[in-house]
Amino acid sequence: MATRGSRSEKVKRIFQQFDANCDGGLNRDEMADLVVAVNPRVKFSDAQISAILDEVFRTYGEFIDGEKGLTYDGLLRTYDDGAGDVDRDFDALGLELNSDDNKGKSAASSSSIADERVLEPHKKQRTAAWAASPNHGIVFDETWKVVDDLEILIKRLKAKQVKDGKMKGDNFDAYSDPGWSRELGPSAEMSEKRVVWEESGHDYALFVKELGVLRTKADGARSREEAFDGHMAIGRVLYEHQLFKEALVSFKRACELQPVDVRSHFRAGNCLYVLGRHGEAKEEFTLALDAAENGGNQSAYLLPQIHVNLGIALEGEGMVMSACEHYREAAILCPTHFRALKLLGSALFGVGEYRAAVKALEEAIFMKADYADAHCDLASALHAMGEGEKAIPVFQKAIDLKPGHVDALYNLGGLYMDMGRFQRASEMYTRVLAVCPNHWRAQLNKAVSLLGAGEAEEAKKALKEALKMTNRVELHDAISHLKQLQKKKVKPNGSANGEGAFSIVEPSKFKTGFSKITRLRGCDVDLLKKEMTENDVPVSYSGGGVPEKSIRKPNLEVILRRLLQFLKPETFQGAVRAINERILSVLDDTGSGRVDLGMFFSVLAPICGGSPDKRKRVAYDALLWRPVNEGSAQIRKADALKYIKLLRAIYIPSHGVSEMLEVHGEVDVSMVSLSEFLVMFDDPDWGFGIMSSLVKLEAGDRTRHGRYACSVCRYPIIGSRFKEMKSHFSLCNQCYSEGKVPSTFKQEEYRFKEYGSESEAMKDKCLCFNLQSKSSSYNDP
């Protein structure tokens, strides 16, 4: 890490380079030249330059010296706040530090602590950049003494642990940068190596004891402000050395001393996130945000980064829609914050908003052309949109920028698999395993891709390696299926029945089907009723003047989190993505970002847990709860019809578009009772007659189907089996819901029969045989 001396010297050289009139300030023209020069690959428009300068001169108004412009201290602050990367800009400008400066640095670093305490000019060179930074650095001289003593303690601990072989370092360079910022600057400041301290030994216990003495010294300061300064400095030094648990203790103490100070809550939130305590981190960042918004201009410099880090903490809990709001706010507050845009794009991708994700990620790359993670996520979004050929060079760009980029390599392997380029996919997974030898998913996918390439023996070896890594059921299914393929001597690229690669067809060509959102089965439908009775939702008015209990998507996500609190964060994120793609996209057809909550609850009710009768009753109650029906014992027939059509549009997409068009012409003002609603709901032709099929699916979700394998993905079928009645091939739930069919069976339309278990298929077969026998005897002469 660069010392404060080298960092400030670099900023000074940059400042001098662009202070053309040597008046000690950078005016708008000089600042514009600087922005353009440090971004040589970016072609800024005049409007973009103007917006950037407006933001800088507004945010750093306290550092603007009249007509002269931004002072040196102001430019230094912009770098401290993460508006740019000092080292990158310095190198981009081709500048060098004077040799005299370097000699001075060496002399300063070799001097004793006692000498440095006496020599005021040198003290700002001996520690991190933050220490002398205005507003969030060290203020009191006594604090410098505490910091020096702490640095000595840490050096002693490190020397002992290295000597005893207790200290470990994990190279994190191979993994995608989550955009996390330890401080205010860009993610490049985060150390590429994570240090793991041994906390159980005598040396560490002694360190903690001596650290306690320093904390006591800080507590004994002459004023509350000085004590706060001391604990903040102790926390920052500990954080720099990745002693996160101890740093958290100091930041928490600072929060007690000055409860409304932004910095202590912000730092505490950072520690909690690194320690994996995302919920607590979210709370601290929320406190920091409140303090910053109430603290006037003096806290404005931190606002963008608080929004970013709060968004990241929310993502850690699976709350991706809510995270989007904060990334978007950070990008508005700081238009040059390329990492906020990257995080926004990644989060939008996470909830299935692919086009918006592409736009945000392209903007991030426009600002930072060498942003490997942004390239990776952009390629993933393009792949999700079905633009695989466009995605390949973007993935490759991410890998060129960062050859060990695991996510880019793994996702490119998945893209090649989807395209049927199995050999290339195998190569990608091999490269993933070179970086992460225990990546069991890559090992499993490598086996599948080798199988697709016709290399059965190599696939078998790869599967055995995967089995050594984990004992998951997917591996046992894969091994079982591989044995079946070997017995049948399947041709390369063939499936269990000899089919070739798959094709994706429009779901409308499937004559039956229901893509269930499985995550809501664990949510009892009574919880929906509880949400309606216990939580007050304000009434708003739509463009047509109709009263609605509408809610924004991020607030809806909070309700979903309560309903699905049993899910892990990553699983919850997948559920929200499915709900957004399948349900919210239909309910919010105008793209307003708001959803009619009563209609949403009524649409969810059929796929929640509970008896079918109870689900239907709650669906009716949810419609009754809407303002247009509230206070009445019945619902309007027009609303009931709209609801049924929404159900069909969401869960039976092939019927949805044409039926929803009819809704707009509805003029029926009659009312419908519960019994009449149930008749409409259960109507096999015009209602939601697939409810009975849904109940069967839920009962047999883990059902195996003997020797049957999916004709597309070639894995043993678990759950429902969908048999095409003309060509007699079978699909699993996943491939059926994605509209995949074997390419050798191209038809105008497909008619599937669904089997919840093998016994159902056997009954069907016996019935068919029985009918044929009767027909034969009837025609017998």
Side-chain angles (χ1 to χ4, degrees):
M1 180 177 62
T3 64
R4 179 67 184 180
S6 65
R7 183 181 173 87
S8 60
E9 283 301 323
K10 286 183 176 181
V11 176
K12 185 178 290 183
R13 290 300 312 280
I14 293 171
F15 183 86
Q16 291 169 348
Q17 178 84 358
F18 291 94
D19 184 13
N21 55 15
C22 300
D23 63 353
L26 300 179
N27 58 35
R28 288 182 70 91
D29 290 338
E30 290 166 341
M31 274 298 296
D33 291 340
L34 190 158
V35 171
V36 171
V38 298
N39 294 282
R41 284 185 275 185
V42 179
K43 303 299 181 187
F44 290 106
S45 67
D46 291 341
Q48 287 175 318
I49 289 289
S50 181
I52 292 169
L53 296 181
D54 288 345
E55 181 67 20
V56 170
F57 278 73
R58 180 184 64 79
T59 305
Y60 301 97
E62 61 187 297
F63 295 100
I64 303 300
D65 184 5
E67 295 298 320
K68 294 180 181 179
L70 188 70
T71 62
Y72 159 72
D73 287 337
L75 184 62
L76 185 61
R77 169 64 73 77
T78 67
Y79 281 111
D80 286 341
D81 291 355
D85 184 321
V86 177
D87 296 327
R88 184 176 67 85
D89 290 356
F90 193 80
D91 293 339
L93 295 169
L95 300 175
E96 292 182 2
L97 290 173
N98 294 330
S99 57
D100 291 341
D101 296 333
N102 292 330
K103 288 176 184 175
K105 277 194 297 179
S106 301
S109 62
S110 63
S111 61
S112 69
I113 291 173
D115 291 338
E116 289 183 66
R117 285 179 179 167
V118 175
L119 299 173
E120 180 75 13
H122 290 283
K123 77 177 184 181
K124 292 184 180 181
Q125 295 181 355
R126 69 173 179 259
T127 192
W130 58 268
S133 178
N135 287 340
H136 57 282
I138 292 175
V139 178
F140 296 89
D141 286 339
E142 287 300 311
T143 303
W144 285 101
K145 297 176 184 178
V146 173
V147 166
D148 284 335
D149 291 345
L150 179 55
E151 290 281 6
I152 291 170
L153 293 181
I154 293 172
K155 284 178 183 175
R156 283 180 191 163
L157 176 64
K158 185 175 183 179
K160 288 177 181 177
Q161 292 210 349
V162 169
K163 182 180 178 182
D164 296 342
K166 295 177 181 178
M167 200 166 185
K168 299 173 184 175
D170 295 330
N171 189 356
F172 274 56
D173 185 46
Y175 296 88
S176 271
D177 166 31
W180 182 254
S181 168
R182 287 190 304 169
E183 309 303 339
L184 307 174
S187 56
E189 287 189 12
M190 189 62 172
S191 173
E192 289 180 351
K193 286 190 178 288
R194 171 76 183 270
V195 177
V196 181
W197 297 86
E198 173 55 58
E199 299 178 2
S200 60
H202 171 72
D203 294 336
Y204 193 85
L206 181 62
F207 166 75
V208 172
K209 184 179 179 181
E210 292 172 325
L211 176 59
V213 174
L214 293 182
R215 287 190 174 124
T216 303
K217 186 184 291 186
D219 277 329
R222 290 165 293 185
S223 67
R224 200 176 188 86
E225 289 75 16
E226 187 172 332
F228 174 83
D229 192 49
H231 283 290
M232 283 296 291
I234 291 171
R236 294 291 291 273
V237 172
L238 291 167
Y239 196 104
E240 288 288 330
H241 290 281
Q242 302 190 35
L243 289 154
F244 301 119
K245 290 180 182 177
E246 300 306 326
L248 179 61
V249 173
S250 294
F251 292 136
K252 283 286 192 181
R253 176 63 182 138
C255 290
E256 293 171 5
L257 289 163
Q258 294 194 9
V260 295
D261 193 286
V262 180
R263 296 164 292 173
S264 53
H265 291 297
F266 179 67
R267 305 296 168 196
N270 287 356
C271 279
L272 287 162
Y273 180 86
V274 174
L275 292 170
R277 294 157 64 178
H278 300 149
E280 294 171 77
K282 179 187 70 176
E283 291 171 10
E284 289 294 338
F285 288 134
T286 302
L287 290 170
L289 189 61
D290 292 341
E293 289 176 339
N294 296 325
N297 288 334
Q298 69 181 51
S299 303
Y301 73 94
L302 253 181
L303 262 175
Q305 200 58 42
I306 294 172
H307 278 294
V308 165
N309 289 11
L310 176 53
I312 293 168
L314 285 164
E315 277 204 68
E317 290 196 302
M319 304 289 286
V320 184
M321 283 185 174
S322 301
C324 285
E325 295 291 287
H326 291 285
Y327 298 144
R328 196 174 280 115
E329 189 64 29
I332 291 168
L333 290 168
C334 183
T336 58
H337 205 316
F338 52 79
R339 205 161 78 262
L341 284 164
K342 182 268 174 190
L343 288 165
L344 174 60
S346 302
L348 287 166
F349 171 74
V351 294
E353 304 278 355
Y354 303 126
R355 292 195 183 281
V358 166
K359 187 176 179 181
L361 290 164
E362 285 178 340
E363 190 69 21
I365 291 169
F366 177 77
M367 291 184 181
K368 184 175 173 59
D370 60 348
Y371 205 162
D373 291 339
H375 282 93
C376 176
D377 288 355
L378 173 59
S380 297
L382 290 169
H383 179 194
M385 291 168 63
E387 298 183 15
E389 290 297 341
K390 284 186 182 179
I392 290 174
V394 185
F395 272 131
Q396 196 56 58
K397 178 66 175 176
I399 296 164
D400 291 343
L401 290 166
K402 193 174 181 181
H405 201 300
V406 168
D407 286 350
L409 291 166
Y410 184 85
N411 292 345
L412 181 54
L415 173 54
Y416 281 138
M417 285 269 281
D418 285 353
M419 299 173 80
R421 298 170 64 180
F422 299 112
Q423 196 62 51
R424 291 289 289 145
S426 171
E427 291 167 14
M428 292 302 113
Y429 294 128
T430 300
R431 289 180 65 178
V432 171
L433 291 164
V435 180
C436 299
N438 294 319
H439 199 308
W440 73 266
R441 291 186 185 279
Q443 187 68 51
L444 175 59
N445 283 345
K446 179 181 177 180
V448 175
S449 57
L450 286 167
L451 186 62
E455 299 180 26
E457 284 303 314
E458 290 300 314
K460 187 176 180 181
K461 290 177 187 176
L463 273 175
K464 285 182 178 178
E465 287 298 317
L467 196 57
K468 291 177 185 177
M469 297 177 190
T470 184
N471 201 31
R472 295 174 67 98
V473 68
E474 294 100 318
L475 294 170
H476 293 282
D477 284 343
I479 290 171
S480 171
H481 186 54
L482 180 59
K483 289 177 180 177
Q484 291 178 25
L485 291 180
Q486 285 180 312
K487 287 177 184 176
K488 294 181 181 182
K489 296 182 179 179
V490 180
K491 296 177 182 179
N493 295 337
S495 70
N497 299 315
E499 293 92 352
F502 64 83
S503 301
I504 298 178
V505 300
E506 288 297 318
S508 60
K509 292 185 179 179
F510 284 13
K511 281 299 178 184
T512 64
F514 180 85
S515 181
K516 56 188 179 293
I517 302 174
T518 59
R519 304 302 177 193
L520 283 154
R521 284 188 209 159
C523 167
D524 194 280
V525 74
D526 283 338
L527 292 175
L528 292 185
K529 186 74 174 175
K530 186 179 178 183
E531 283 290 334
M532 289 185 279
T533 55
E534 294 185 3
N535 296 296
D536 189 30
V537 180
V539 175
S540 59
Y541 290 85
S542 64
V546 179
E548 281 185 354
K549 288 179 179 177
S550 69
I551 191 170
R552 294 172 65 252
K553 284 185 180 182
N555 301 109
L556 187 65
E557 184 183 48
V558 174
I559 294 174
L560 283 170
R561 195 67 185 110
R562 288 199 293 266
L563 296 173
L564 299 170
Q565 57 185 308
F566 55 89
L567 294 181
K568 293 179 180 178
E570 60 272 19
T571 313
F572 174 72
Q573 182 181 335
V576 170
R577 181 176 185 162
I579 290 168
N580 187 43
E581 289 181 330
R582 198 63 182 271
I583 298 177
L584 302 185
S585 61
V586 176
L587 293 182
D588 180 27
D589 56 346
T590 62
S592 67
R594 300 187 72 88
V595 175
D596 180 333
L597 190 56
M599 192 63 80
F600 177 71
F601 283 150
S602 66
V603 166
L604 280 196
I607 58 173
C608 286
S611 69
D613 289 341
K614 189 190 287 186
R615 296 188 219 180
K616 296 172 195 175
R617 176 64 206 234
V618 171
Y620 181 80
D621 289 343
L623 294 173
L624 206 57
W625 181 70
R626 299 171 71 229
V628 290
N629 297 314
E630 209 164 17
S632 171
Q634 296 182 324
I635 63 173
R636 297 189 308 175
K637 187 173 183 180
D639 291 340
L641 287 170
K642 180 179 179 181
Y643 169 64
I644 297 294
K645 289 172 181 176
L646 276 171
L647 280 183
R648 294 169 70 84
I650 290 167
Y651 299 120
I652 321 173
S654 59
H655 297 79
V657 177
S658 59
E659 289 185 2
M660 286 307 299
L661 291 175
E662 299 169 23
V663 170
H664 302 293
E666 198 64 61
V667 292
D668 196 330
V669 294
S670 59
M671 305 300 282
V672 172
S673 66
L674 174 61
S675 57
E676 291 170 320
F677 171 79
L678 293 176
V679 171
M680 293 172 64
F681 189 98
D682 291 329
D683 187 294
D685 296 320
W686 298 107
F688 195 57
I690 61 172
M691 183 82 170
S692 56
S693 299
L694 172 61
V695 174
K696 286 183 195 173
L697 283 175
E698 293 167 355
D701 188 44
R702 296 301 292 174
T703 306
R704 299 294 207 274
H705 288 263
R707 61 185 177 80
Y708 285 98
C710 175
S711 296
V712 170
C713 69
R714 299 179 295 164
Y715 275 83
I717 295 176
I718 304 170
S720 287
R721 173 166 71 95
F722 293 88
K723 180 182 178 183
E724 209 289 317
M725 303 312 291
K726 181 179 179 181
S727 299
H728 305 293
F729 61 84
S730 295
L731 299 181
C732 65
N733 274 320
Q734 183 70 26
C735 292
Y736 177 79
S737 66
E738 293 174 1
K740 293 180 179 178
V741 296
S743 59
T744 50
F745 294 109
K746 291 184 178 178
Q747 300 166 195
E748 283 302 313
E749 65 178 32
Y750 299 84
R751 292 182 179 273
F752 285 89
K753 180 139 189 183
E754 181 183 341
Y755 294 114
S757 67
E758 194 56 28
S759 60
E760 288 181 25
M762 187 58 69
K763 287 178 186 175
D764 204 24
K765 189 180 286 185
C766 291
L767 179 63
C768 180
F769 179 75
N770 196 23
L771 287 172
Q772 286 178 349
S773 298
K774 286 182 179 179
S775 175
S776 298
S777 60
Y778 180 78
N779 292 322
D780 219 9

